[in-house]
Amino acid sequence: MRETIDSIKTSELSILSFSAVAGRTLIAPIDVVRTTRQSLRPSLQRSLSSLWINGGFKGLFRGNLMGCSRDLLFIHLIRHFYGKISSNSDTLHKSGGFEGLLSVVYTGLLATVVTQPLDFAKTRLQCQSMTKNNRLYIDVFHLYSSTIKSEGFSRLFSGSFPAGFCR
């Protein structure tokens, strides 16, 4: 397994990163509609028309930059953490079975916790209104600072546990 991680060269990592961003951008409108429907609970037609009226074509890609940033960071963290965990475990190389599975799960959970604040910001930005008069957050820094002041630092990591099992 260690050979697999070591064999991912910079060019292959760049291709993997590009494909993650391209895939994320292709499904961004679906993610925005899903988040809108889950938080506001309108019908599909009402949520699509609301997104289009308030944000136009740009509204369908709301939060995509945060999602792409999270995905890129997640890919690099997975590569780094798994390399560190698997290099410290001699039993992983010998048995490869259950220990390999545990190291993959541990790596995924660790990378999810680290990237959770980006996912939190993406979801909050997707749920807020697109009209300037009704916006809760001006930008990402305002989102983080106001959330930490009003709800505490730990709120940025809410949902880490379920998200770890979804990725």
Side-chain angles (χ1 to χ4, degrees), residues 80-95:
H80 175 75
F81 288 151
Y82 186 74
K84 294 289 184 189
I85 291 168
S86 63
S87 68
N88 292 332
S89 175
D90 291 333
T91 60
L92 177 67
H93 298 296
K94 294 175 186 170
S95 65

Side-chain angles (χ1 to χ4, degrees), residues 2 5 8 17 20 38 41 49 56 65 68 78 87 89-90 92 94-95 100-101 103 106 108 114-116 134-135 164:
R2 180 73 185 151
I5 296 298
I8 298 177
S17 300
Q38 285 177 346
R41 301 195 192 285
S49 64
L65 182 61
C68 289
I78 286 286
S87 68
S89 175
D90 291 333
L92 177 67
K94 294 175 186 170
S95 65
L101 177 66
S103 70
Y106 178 71
V114 171
T115 59
Q116 184 61 29
N134 295 335
R135 280 191 188 169

Side-chain angles (χ1 to χ4, degrees), residues 3-57:
E3 296 82 32
T4 306
I5 296 298
D6 288 339
S7 68
I8 298 177
K9 296 180 179 58
T10 305
S11 61
E12 293 169 343
L13 193 60
S14 299
I15 291 169
L16 182 63
S17 300
F18 176 76
S19 64
V21 169
R24 169 81 188 128
T25 303
L26 285 174
I27 65 163
I30 297 169
D31 190 38
V32 171
V33 170
R34 178 188 58 88
T35 304
T36 304
R37 292 205 59 213
Q38 285 177 346
S39 62
L40 304 175
R41 301 195 192 285
S43 67
L44 179 61
Q45 182 181 0
R46 282 185 59 200
S47 74
L48 284 172
S49 64
S50 174
L51 284 170
W52 190 260
I53 290 168
N54 292 327
F57 186 70

Side-chain angles (χ1 to χ4, degrees), residues 74-136:
F74 189 79
I75 288 169
H76 290 279
L77 287 173
I78 286 286
R79 180 177 181 245
H80 175 75
F81 288 151
Y82 186 74
K84 294 289 184 189
I85 291 168
S86 63
S87 68
N88 292 332
S89 175
D90 291 333
T91 60
L92 177 67
H93 298 296
K94 294 175 186 170
S95 65
F98 187 68
E99 291 85 5
L101 177 66
L102 285 179
S103 70
V104 168
V105 169
Y106 178 71
T107 301
L109 289 174
L110 192 58
T112 298
V113 169
V114 171
T115 59
Q116 184 61 29
L118 292 173
D119 196 37
F120 175 83
K122 175 193 70 84
T123 304
R124 285 277 174 108
L125 290 173
Q126 284 178 340
C127 291
Q128 80 172 350
S129 176
M130 286 297 290
T131 58
K132 289 190 178 185
N133 297 337
N134 295 335
R135 280 191 188 169
L136 292 173

